[in-house]
Amino acid sequence: MLRSDDGGAKWASVTTPTSRDLHAVRISRTADLVVAVGAAGVVLRLDDALGASAEELLEPGLALRALHLSLDGHGQAVGDHGVVLHSHDAGLEWEALDLGLEEALFGLDDLHGEPHL
């Protein structure tokens, strides 16, 4: 993962606590929180206040493919075999939602019109 502190003029490598491939990322408006999802259902959080963490929520052969988080910390992550996860706290904890889907999900967005993270 790369990070810029000067609007993208220069980039530096950031060490993360996972070697899993990442497929989607959300960055807070103030860039103090980065949440990314990927292979094995990994959820990577780079939080200036809490530090870095990575948690694998799915079997190794499955992946989370898309992520949405709003300013209030509510959001979803979706992926293989219709997996849908919901968070109320900007990705600290996740709960599975059973929507009866079997297909891989590659994207999502919020339709409530709230500001985004």
Side-chain angles (χ1 to χ4, degrees), residues 34-109:
V34 175
V35 179
V37 298
V42 71
V43 175
L44 170 69
R45 285 180 48 88
L46 302 175
D47 187 325
D48 286 356
L50 300 176
S53 66
E55 180 179 10
E56 293 183 10
L57 303 176
L58 303 176
E59 297 174 20
L62 299 177
L64 292 171
R65 309 241 174 228
L67 171 67
H68 178 274
L69 291 172
S70 60
L71 278 176
D72 64 4
H74 286 79
Q76 298 79 33
V78 299
D80 295 347
H81 296 290
V83 168
V84 178
L85 303 176
H86 181 76
S87 178
H88 299 283
D89 55 12
L92 285 170
E93 296 181 24
W94 296 88
E95 83 177 87
L97 301 177
D98 184 0
L99 301 181
L101 303 172
E102 296 294 326
E103 299 81 16
L105 302 171
F106 291 92
L108 76 152
D109 198 1

